[in-house]
């Protein structure tokens, strides 16, 4: 006898629809598994990139800093050059401020040398690189110009006057900020910009009275690491290079990349643990889809399978035929899913930089998923043959038991347990400065467990309703009656589509809501903490803003005594520059009490006694406690602790406008760096992936709905053809199918959106990585998600109804009856 599965791969071509659905199902399955691996690995790379934005490129490699007698600078530079090899070096040296004579009024100045410094300065006069480059502040004080010589001719001639460096510095200077930007608040030394020497030899030959102690920094420029592995390799190699200096007295090794690497690794672990449960659920749904496709294959092949059974083929043989016939499509689909996951990485992942070996891990994961799908196809076909040909009269007892089990009670219990973790915020703070809070994956699973429970409950209610639908009598509306009967006849596929549909819509809504809330919370908390987009401290005598800052900035006073704080604001301009706040402008004309500030009279330095009756819950910079005072109530601006310019403009434009007006700002700040954003981004990236998986589940639900319609093509065509010949109009036939399929879509929308709204409403305020900062995260506007999901559902229902009606119109009743 010929082996029944010998021609199986070629026989698959006889059912192109089954072939196509198998490929698509395996593609989605492979995409989910591969995307989970790629996303969790890429989140570590994204964490590295985010933290590198707050670091200096030249300081990523471990660097050296020391303070030496001036005569030891040259020997130290030579020692570093001979000890550290194979890595570019950028040595810089700066003297402390000393009184310098340039032929006019004397001033304090510091001298420095850094290779390439003159190429990163803005020249105002001159420009030759064989002499001194003097900052404009020193030139204006001393009156020196190009061609002048200092210290009685003992210094090289001045060949350029350059614009003083100011914050925010270009990347090339950021590691040297402490040395090149005068610190106006440092009272231990007089602040001065740097006079740059033309060569290292001229720097080491400075007169003794100008150079005693010298600060030396040695940076090692390196390529910016894109992944956690690259960053760790850079740290390891750098530490090994600088090991000879570990025990050298007064030489410090700085490694600012150590904590970012730890944070990035923890971020990858957090994201991986958080997305794992949903990935497993999606994998199970994908395998259930493979089982459905196999069941549909068995239904189409029923006559052939019975013939093979009669000729002696057992369940294992028939299961093997299914695995061989569907195996190639499943393998091709899995490989395509892996490729699509790589191709769409920039769309669903926070970074497209993958650590070495990630692609291999993803390929192995897809291989396991494909192997599982083959096992499911084999088992489904074997069990179906066993039920059909061996125990047909006994029914499927196991299936009835599994259906009767209250799985929704189990998931509801897990959701309650997860809520107990959410109630503790799902986050645990760390004592390490700059470290990440521990993110509880169980807490993050709460909204997904709620959605899963809603899906299981909706499926069970739908099954009960369809089982009792035979009592429904809508013959006065035949379209509705036919829709109900068709739903009841396909209770299994309908509840399956409903289950996946609720999961898809719920996860999309939950993922969008939570990721959006974290993004908004980070922006809002940063703005409330900083006060404005950019801030700069100024002297109290600045009462008028420069022309470039009018309409976009404001001047604010800040007073702090122990744990009490107050802001002095200008009601006319405050809303121009401050972070947007929902406060009636009229309230700013009188003192305000903010949040839980004491309801009694208080006295703060430079302010009148405060006991206002007007109250607001929160305010920029003050948070939920403090007072707001109009500037007109201040008798002497000099008595107020500090004054700032708050602006909605970027920090660079703010400092440029102040410098152009002759104002020297200090204590600069900006919203983008006010709050550690990585904890927010970790949760955002996690639920961004949840949204992506929800989109995949939506595709699965749409395919399942179309497949359910296609599987019942003959039944629909026969019943529809008889109905139309009995007087059912074409419009009523279309309406019947729209009502049938629309009921399933509407139920999925209602259950999914309700579950997501409830779970997100409870979860979003609790997932707060910075609870001490206001405001609490809030659920964002859900209208775009609602419109998108409804529009997508309507489109799928319309296509499925068109397919069903088209099969009726093209049917030949005689052939259907004979078939």
């Amino acid at each position: 006898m010929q082996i029944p599965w010998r021609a199986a791969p070629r026989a698959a071509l006889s059912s192109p629809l089954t072939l196509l659905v198998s490929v698509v199902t395996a593609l989605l399955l492979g995409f989910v598994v591969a995307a989970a691996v790629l996303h969790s690995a890429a989140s570590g790379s994204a964490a590295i990139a985010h933290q590198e934005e707050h670091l200096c490129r030249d300081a990523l490699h471990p660097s050296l800093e020391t303070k030496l007698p001036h005569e030891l600078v040259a020997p130290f530079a030579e020692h570093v050059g001979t000890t550290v090899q194979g890595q570019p070096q950028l040595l810089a040296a700066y003297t402390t401020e000393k009184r310098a004579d340039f032929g006019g009024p004397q001033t304090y100045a510091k001298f420095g040398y850094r290779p390439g410094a003159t190429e990163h300065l803005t020249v105002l006069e001159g420009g030759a690189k064989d002499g001194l480059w003097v900052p404009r502040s020193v030139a204006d004080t001393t009156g020196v110009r190009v061609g002048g010589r200092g210290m009685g001719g003992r210094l090289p001639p001045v060949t350029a006057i350059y614009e003083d460096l100011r914050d925010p510095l270009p990347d090339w200077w950021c590691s040297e900020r402490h040395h090149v930007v005068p610190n106006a608040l440092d009272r231990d030394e007089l602040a001065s910009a740097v006079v740059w020497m033309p060569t290292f030899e001229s720097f080491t030959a400075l007169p003794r009275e100008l150079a005693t102690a010298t600060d030396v920094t040695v940076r090692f420029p390196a390529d910016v690491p894109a992944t956690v592995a690259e960053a760790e390799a850079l740290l390891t190699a750098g530490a090994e290079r600088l090991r000879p200096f570990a025990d050298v007295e007064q030489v410090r090794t700085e490694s600012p990349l150590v904590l970012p690497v730890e944070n990035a690794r923890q971020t990858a672990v957090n994201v991986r643990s958080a997305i794992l449960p949903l990935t497993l659920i999606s994998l199970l749904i994908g395998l259930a889809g493979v089982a459905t496709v196999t069941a549909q294959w068995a239904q189409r092949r029923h006559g052939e399978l019975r013939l093979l059974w009669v000729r002696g083929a057992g369940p294992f043989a028939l299961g093997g035929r299914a695995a061989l016939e569907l195996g190639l499509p499943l393998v091709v689909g899995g490989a395509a899913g892996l490729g699509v996951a790589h191709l769409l990485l920039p769309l669903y992942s926070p970074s497209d930089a993958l650590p070495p070996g990630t692609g291999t891990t993803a390929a192995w994961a897809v291989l396991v998923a494909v192997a599982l799908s083959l096992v499911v196809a084999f088992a489904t076909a074997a069990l179906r043959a066993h039920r059909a040909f061996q125990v047909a009269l006994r029914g499927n007892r196991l299936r009835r038991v599994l259906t009767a089990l209250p799985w929704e009670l189990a998931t509801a219990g897990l959701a309650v347990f997860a809520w107990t973790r959410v109630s503790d915020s799902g986050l645990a703070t760390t004592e390490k400065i700059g470290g990440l809070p521990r993110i509880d994956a169980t807490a993050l699973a709460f909204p997904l467990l709620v959605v899963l429970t809603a899906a299981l409950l909706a499926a069970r209610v739908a099954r009960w309703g369809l089982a009792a639908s035979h009592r429904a009598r809508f013959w006065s509306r035949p379209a509705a009656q036919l829709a109900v009967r068709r739903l009841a006849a396909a209770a299994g596929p309908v509840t399956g589509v409903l289950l996946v549909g609720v999961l898809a819509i719920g996860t999309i809504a939950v993922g969008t809501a939570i990721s959006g809330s974290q993004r908004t919370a980070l922006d809002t908390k940063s703005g409330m903490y900083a006060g404005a987009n950019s801030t700069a401290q100024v002297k109290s005598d600045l009462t008028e803003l420069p022309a470039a800052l009018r309409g976009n900035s404001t001047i604010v006073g800040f007073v702090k005594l122990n744990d009490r704080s107050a802001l002095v604001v200008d009601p006319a301009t405050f809303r121009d520059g401050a972070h947007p706040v929902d406060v009636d402008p009229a309230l700013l004309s009188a003192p305000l009490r903010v949040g839980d500030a004491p309801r009694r009279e208080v006295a703060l330095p430079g302010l009148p006694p405060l006991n206002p009756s007007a109250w607001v819950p929160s305010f920029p910079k003050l948070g939920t406690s403090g007072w707001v005072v109009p500037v007109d109530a201040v008798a002497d601006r000099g008595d107020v602790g500090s004054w700032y310019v708050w602006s909605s403009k970027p920090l660079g434009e703010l400092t440029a406008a102040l410098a152009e007006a002759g104002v020297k700002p200090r204590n600069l700040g900006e919203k983008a760096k006010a709050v550690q954003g990585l904890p927010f981004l970790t949760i955002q990236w996690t639920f961004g992936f949840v949204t992506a998986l929800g989109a995949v589940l939506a595709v699965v639900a749409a395919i399942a709905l179309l497949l359910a319609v296609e599987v019942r093509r003959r039944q629909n065509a026969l019943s529809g053809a008889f109905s139309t010949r009995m007087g059912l109009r074409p419009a009523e036939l279309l309406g019947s199918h729209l009502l049938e399929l629309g009921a399933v879509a509407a139920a999925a929308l209602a259950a999914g959106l309700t579950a997501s709204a409830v779970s997100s409403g409870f979860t979003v305020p609790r997932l707060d990585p910075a609870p001490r900062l206001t405001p609490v995260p809030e659920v964002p506007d859900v209208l775009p998600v609602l419109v998108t999901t409804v529009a997508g559902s309507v489109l799928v229902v319309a296509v499925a109804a068109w397919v069903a009606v088209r099969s009726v119109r093209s049917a030949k009743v005689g052939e259907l009856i004979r078939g």
Side-chain angles (χ1 to χ4, degrees):
M1 182 182 69
Q2 184 179 7
I3 299 175
W5 54 79
R6 185 173 180 179
R10 188 170 61 252
L13 298 176
S14 63
S15 300
L17 179 63
T18 302
L19 193 70
L20 177 62
V21 174
S22 301
V23 171
V24 174
T25 303
L27 186 151
L28 296 175
L29 187 63
F31 173 81
V32 167
V33 174
V37 175
L38 300 179
H39 180 83
S40 59
S43 62
S45 302
I48 281 288
H50 170 74
Q51 294 173 105
E52 284 173 352
E53 293 177 358
H54 303 279
L55 300 175
C56 296
R57 176 171 180 170
D58 289 341
L60 295 179
H61 186 289
S63 56
L64 299 175
E65 294 187 6
T66 185
K67 193 179 190 71
L68 300 171
H70 190 70
E71 61 271 15
L72 298 181
V73 172
F76 178 76
E78 182 179 357
H79 177 58
V80 172
T82 56
T83 303
V84 182
Q85 298 182 356
Q87 181 71 24
Q89 302 175 18
L90 191 57
L91 182 142
Y94 312 90
T95 66
T96 54
E97 278 81 353
K98 296 292 181 182
R99 186 175 293 274
D101 180 10
F102 285 95
Q106 294 187 5
T107 186
Y108 283 87
K110 68 190 307 183
F111 293 81
Y113 173 77
R114 195 184 193 211
T118 55
E119 298 175 4
H120 298 85
L121 298 171
T122 302
V123 178
L124 301 177
E125 295 181 30
K129 298 183 179 180
D130 56 351
L132 296 183
W133 281 46
V134 178
R136 181 169 69 171
S137 58
V138 173
D140 291 345
T141 301
T142 62
V144 67
R145 287 294 176 260
V146 174
R149 297 178 70 98
M151 302 303 291
R154 288 185 294 165
L155 294 177
V158 175
T159 57
I161 307 296
Y162 74 91
E163 182 64 57
D164 291 51
L165 292 169
R166 60 174 177 266
D167 290 317
L169 289 171
D171 291 341
W172 195 83
W173 289 109
C174 63
S175 64
E176 309 300 296
R177 184 192 176 282
H178 176 69
H179 301 286
V180 300
V181 176
N183 184 3
L185 298 181
D186 191 345
R187 306 198 177 194
D188 294 334
E189 59 178 350
L190 296 173
S192 172
V194 180
V195 177
W196 296 100
M197 304 297 294
T199 63
F200 184 68
E201 290 73 19
S202 63
F203 176 80
T204 58
L206 278 169
R208 176 68 181 175
E209 58 268 32
L210 293 180
T212 52
T214 301
D215 292 303
V216 180
T217 65
V218 186
R219 313 297 180 191
F220 300 90
D223 294 335
V224 177
T227 65
V228 182
E230 292 178 5
E232 192 169 47
L234 179 63
L235 277 178
T236 303
E240 186 62 30
R241 291 189 186 100
L242 302 186
R243 188 179 300 277
F245 300 93
D247 298 327
V248 178
E249 189 176 356
Q250 295 184 341
V251 177
R252 303 185 308 277
T253 300
E254 302 290 337
S255 299
L257 201 57
V258 172
L259 186 58
V261 168
E262 294 179 5
N263 288 344
R265 287 198 174 280
Q266 186 61 45
T267 297
V269 171
N270 287 341
V271 172
R272 185 184 306 116
S273 60
I275 67 175
L276 183 60
L278 183 60
T279 302
L280 294 177
I281 292 174
S282 302
L283 176 63
L284 293 177
I285 292 174
L287 294 177
V290 173
T292 302
V293 173
T294 307
Q296 190 257 352
W297 170 87
Q299 182 176 345
R300 286 179 177 269
R301 291 279 196 272
H302 183 78
E304 180 182 352
L305 294 178
R306 175 175 286 279
L307 178 61
L308 292 172
W309 174 268
V310 172
R311 297 178 64 184
F316 282 95
L318 299 180
R321 180 180 178 91
L324 286 177
E325 190 167 327
L326 300 177
L328 184 59
L330 292 176
V331 171
V332 171
L338 177 62
V340 171
H342 276 281
L343 185 64
L344 300 183
L345 185 64
L347 297 181
Y348 65 85
S349 178
S351 173
D352 55 2
L354 298 175
T358 304
T360 303
T361 304
W364 276 108
V366 171
L367 183 61
V368 171
V370 170
L372 289 175
S373 66
L374 291 173
V375 171
V376 168
F378 170 83
T380 302
L383 289 174
R384 194 173 183 89
H386 174 68
R387 292 201 311 267
F389 307 132
Q390 285 185 329
V391 291
L393 298 178
R394 283 186 272 172
N396 188 359
R397 189 173 301 171
L398 177 61
R399 183 178 180 181
R400 291 198 301 269
V401 171
L402 293 177
T403 303
L405 287 176
W407 298 104
E408 58 272 20
L409 294 181
T411 57
L414 292 175
V416 171
F417 173 72
W419 171 248
T420 62
R421 312 292 285 268
V422 175
S423 61
D424 294 330
S425 82
L427 306 171
T429 57
T430 176
E431 296 180 357
K432 181 186 296 183
I433 298 176
L436 290 180
R438 178 184 56 81
I439 296 179
D440 192 339
T442 305
L444 296 187
F446 167 74
L448 304 179
L449 288 170
V450 172
V451 171
L452 179 58
T453 302
L456 293 172
L457 185 60
R460 185 172 297 277
V461 171
R463 185 175 291 276
W464 287 345
L466 293 175
S469 64
H470 62 279
R471 297 188 178 91
R473 296 291 184 270
F474 301 118
W475 290 115
S476 59
R477 291 181 174 82
Q481 183 69 33
L482 289 174
V484 171
R485 298 314 304 152
R486 281 195 303 269
L487 286 173
V494 166
T495 53
V497 171
L498 179 61
L499 175 67
V500 179
V502 174
L503 280 175
I505 294 169
T507 51
I508 289 175
V510 164
T512 304
I514 297 182
S515 61
S517 70
Q518 292 296 309
R519 181 170 54 251
T520 303
L522 175 59
D523 181 75
T524 306
K525 285 176 180 285
S526 298
M528 292 291 286
Y529 182 75
N533 192 50
S534 58
T535 64
Q537 186 176 354
V538 294
K539 294 183 179 179
S540 60
D541 56 3
L542 180 66
T543 58
E544 293 291 335
L545 288 168
L549 297 179
R550 292 171 190 166
N552 53 60
S553 304
T554 185
I555 300 177
V556 176
F558 183 69
V559 178
K560 185 173 181 63
L561 178 65
N562 299 326
D563 60 343
R564 298 178 180 178
S565 302
L567 281 182
V568 180
V569 303
D570 180 3
T573 64
F574 181 76
R575 297 173 68 89
D576 295 337
H579 177 77
V581 59
D582 187 18
V583 175
D584 187 352
L587 293 178
L588 300 178
S589 300
L592 275 174
R593 187 174 61 85
V594 178
D596 57 2
R599 292 176 175 270
R600 61 177 184 273
E601 184 175 293
V602 297
L604 293 174
L607 303 180
L610 300 175
N611 189 16
S613 57
W615 175 86
V616 291
S618 62
F619 205 80
K621 191 66 177 179
L622 296 176
T624 57
S625 181
W627 292 265
V628 180
V629 183
V631 68
D632 295 339
V634 176
D636 187 352
R637 295 172 64 94
D639 293 337
V640 174
S642 53
W643 290 89
Y644 294 84
V645 174
W646 287 7
S647 179
S648 59
K649 298 173 75 68
L651 181 59
E653 296 183 22
L654 171 61
T655 56
L658 292 175
E660 189 66 24
V663 179
K664 294 182 179 180
R666 56 187 185 272
N667 282 355
L668 306 180
E670 53 184 333
K671 183 178 72 173
K673 298 180 180 179
V675 176
Q676 164 65 289
L678 194 54
F680 295 88
L681 294 176
T682 300
I683 301 176
Q684 180 182 330
W685 295 336
T686 298
F687 283 92
F689 185 72
V690 169
T691 305
L693 286 188
V696 172
L697 291 175
V699 175
V700 172
I703 293 175
L705 184 63
L706 295 174
L707 182 61
V709 172
E710 182 61 29
V711 167
R712 292 185 294 137
R713 172 188 286 270
R714 184 178 180 278
Q715 296 92 321
N716 288 340
L718 186 60
S719 64
F722 278 124
S723 298
T724 54
R725 282 160 177 76
M726 293 174 66
L728 189 69
R729 291 176 297 176
E732 291 179 329
L733 178 64
L734 176 61
S736 176
H737 284 285
L738 287 175
L739 184 61
E740 172 196 357
L741 302 174
V744 178
L749 279 170
L753 292 177
T754 301
S756 66
V758 172
S759 61
S760 299
F762 281 102
T763 306
V764 165
R766 298 283 186 174
L767 292 181
D768 190 353
R772 293 185 179 88
L773 303 180
T774 56
V776 174
E778 298 178 353
V779 178
D781 183 14
V782 298
L783 183 61
V785 177
L786 179 63
V787 171
T788 302
T789 52
V790 170
S793 302
V794 169
L795 179 61
V796 172
V797 168
V799 171
W802 175 80
V803 170
V805 173
R806 184 173 177 271
S807 67
V808 173
R809 290 180 175 178
S810 61
K812 297 180 180 179
V813 179
E815 294 182 4
L816 290 174
I817 295 175
R818 285 195 300 270

